[in-house]
Amino acid sequence: MKTIGSAFTSRHNRLTPIRLVLASAVLVEHAIIVTQGPEPPPPLAINGWSLSYAAVNAFFILSGFLIADSLERRADPYQFVAARALRLWPALLVLSLVAVFVIGPAVTILSVPEYFGSAQTWFFPVNVLAFLDTSQGPAGIFSGHPWSGEFSATLWTLRYEVIAYVAAALIFFSPLPWGRHAHLVLFAVTTAAHILISLFWDDAPALIASAARLSSAFTIGMVIHAWRHRIPILPWPLLLVVPLWLALGEHPGAELFMNLAIAAAMFAVAFAALDRWPTGADLPDWSYGIYIWHYPIMQMVLFFDPNADPLKIGIIAVPVTCLVSAMSWSLVEKPSLAFKTAVGDRLRRIWSANRKGPAGPEN
């Protein structure tokens, strides 16, 4: 029986279209959320588990799988850091500069001197690029919207992505155990922590609660990668975990079975019948651009038409988001990734030079 490990040998899989679907799922729900604001209930939800919530978990499951693979395949900390940095930062740099110098001045309620004189305006790129608090954009933007002041509502997840990258790399490049059983222990610990926090710590800081939630999803991906040569490409686990997810309703333990259902579905779709069904492996990877750009575009639509409903916002935002994402991929993301080997080598040389220290006087 074919396993995930035997199928995952190259880029010939459906992971790129899956990422596009996940980013689009977040977009679809945000077309409603941008007009609804922060008040519950979440739209497009089953037992309180919303479409965008599940899609974010799915991204972290995929990320855990791919990051574990990247670490084992490269086994090089410099190349790993270069690849991750060039995947995240260039597009974020462009987004933050456009926010401050293009969108911000067009939509702020402040005068131009007040806008550019506000510390909030200049701290926004710092917060974005340092993966800090991005709940507010540049000063005075979108002040009359249901999500007042929010520029891109998806940026908050990136700090947990980076935390997961760092934690995985520290484990891999340290003497700590790395392998099938170690990954199972990590998954058990993070999942238990998430369930216990959800049950008994209602006012837990967002940093702790979200880190536990997304770490649980990330380590599922790591476990699947570690056991990939023993896990068959079959969708049948869905028949077991979906009823358990639905039966548990809004209990925090339901999320475990939702994540397992997501993982079973994604990896079955990603690797099944690669020789018979189209893969879409050559599609441009617009998923990151869609993920970070769709929300500010929707906020702009609402700014120019305050009475726009979710359908109208979606009809306008989808093609514009696709265009911006295509430009981001072709002009920023893909060209940046071409330098990852050179940047990794440069980081290695800098580290080696610093370890040696300055040359001493000649004897």
Side-chain angles (χ1 to χ4, degrees):
M1 189 175 297
K2 198 165 189 179
T3 64
I4 291 174
S6 62
F8 183 57
T9 56
S10 67
R11 289 189 66 255
H12 185 65
N13 54 59
R14 301 184 187 91
L15 294 180
T16 295
I18 286 173
R19 284 193 293 266
L20 290 170
V21 169
L22 295 177
S24 300
V26 177
L27 180 154
V28 167
E29 184 167 306
H30 280 175
I32 303 172
I33 286 177
V34 76
T35 63
Q36 174 182 296
E39 296 301 320
L44 307 178
I46 298 175
N47 291 337
W49 309 102
S50 73
L51 179 64
S52 63
Y53 189 103
V56 168
N57 282 14
F59 269 122
F60 273 78
I61 293 168
L62 272 184
S63 184
F65 182 88
L66 294 172
I67 291 302
D69 183 72
S70 176
L71 286 166
E72 293 182 9
R73 184 163 36 84
R74 288 190 174 97
D76 184 327
Y78 309 101
Q79 292 299 330
F80 178 78
V81 169
R84 295 303 95 215
L86 291 173
R87 187 67 188 97
L88 293 178
W89 267 325
L92 286 180
L93 176 62
V94 172
L95 178 139
S96 61
L97 293 177
V98 170
V100 168
F101 293 106
V102 180
I103 297 177
V107 303
T108 184
I109 60 172
L110 304 178
S111 67
V112 171
E114 289 174 327
Y115 172 80
F116 284 111
S118 172
Q120 182 179 334
T121 297
W122 300 110
F123 269 111
F124 180 68
V126 175
N127 287 333
V128 170
L129 297 174
F131 307 105
L132 301 174
D133 181 10
T134 54
S135 60
Q136 293 292 296
I141 67 165
F142 306 130
S143 59
H145 288 193
W147 281 97
S148 178
E150 185 88 67
F151 184 78
S152 184
T154 57
L155 297 180
W156 70 271
T157 65
L158 298 181
R159 73 178 66 98
Y160 300 101
E161 187 85 5
V162 172
I163 290 171
Y165 294 165
V166 172
L170 287 175
I171 294 170
F172 182 81
F173 292 110
S174 76
L176 293 172
W178 177 277
R180 293 198 299 267
H181 297 97
H183 290 359
L184 282 173
V185 171
L186 279 174
F187 166 60
V189 170
T190 55
T191 301
H194 175 46
I195 293 173
L196 291 173
I197 288 169
S198 300
L199 285 172
F200 302 113
W201 195 2
D202 291 337
D203 57 348
L207 181 65
I208 295 175
S210 296
R213 164 201 163 188
L214 297 174
S215 295
S216 175
F218 189 87
T219 53
I220 288 177
M222 293 178 66
V223 167
I224 292 171
H225 183 268
W227 293 82
R228 64 194 182 279
H229 294 297
R230 300 191 182 189
I231 301 177
I233 305 171
L234 293 173
W236 310 130
L238 291 169
L239 299 177
L240 175 62
V241 293
V242 168
L244 290 172
W245 165 45
L246 296 177
L248 285 169
E250 296 186 12
H251 188 279
E255 187 168 347
L256 167 61
F257 297 102
M258 180 183 74
N259 286 344
L260 292 174
I262 290 169
M266 282 197 307
F267 288 105
V269 170
F271 299 115
L274 295 178
D275 55 341
R276 298 195 303 274
W277 300 344
T279 64
D282 295 327
L283 289 172
D285 192 359
W286 297 353
S287 59
Y288 187 43
I290 292 172
Y291 190 74
I292 64 176
W293 275 107
H294 74 271
Y295 201 86
I297 291 169
M298 290 178 179
Q299 289 276 59
M300 288 286 287
V301 174
L302 198 59
F303 176 81
F304 289 108
D305 185 357
N307 296 317
D309 60 16
L311 179 60
K312 184 174 183 179
I313 287 175
I315 289 172
I316 297 173
V318 166
V320 176
T321 300
C322 288
L323 175 62
V324 173
S325 301
M327 294 172 62
S328 178
W329 172 251
S330 298
L331 301 178
V332 180
E333 299 167 50
K334 188 177 180 181
S336 299
L337 288 170
F339 292 98
K340 61 187 178 183
T341 300
V343 171
D345 291 341
R346 178 63 176 167
L347 290 174
R348 181 183 291 104
R349 289 195 294 270
I350 292 172
W351 177 256
S352 298
N354 288 337
R355 289 190 67 185
K356 292 177 181 178
E362 292 183 1
N363 292 326

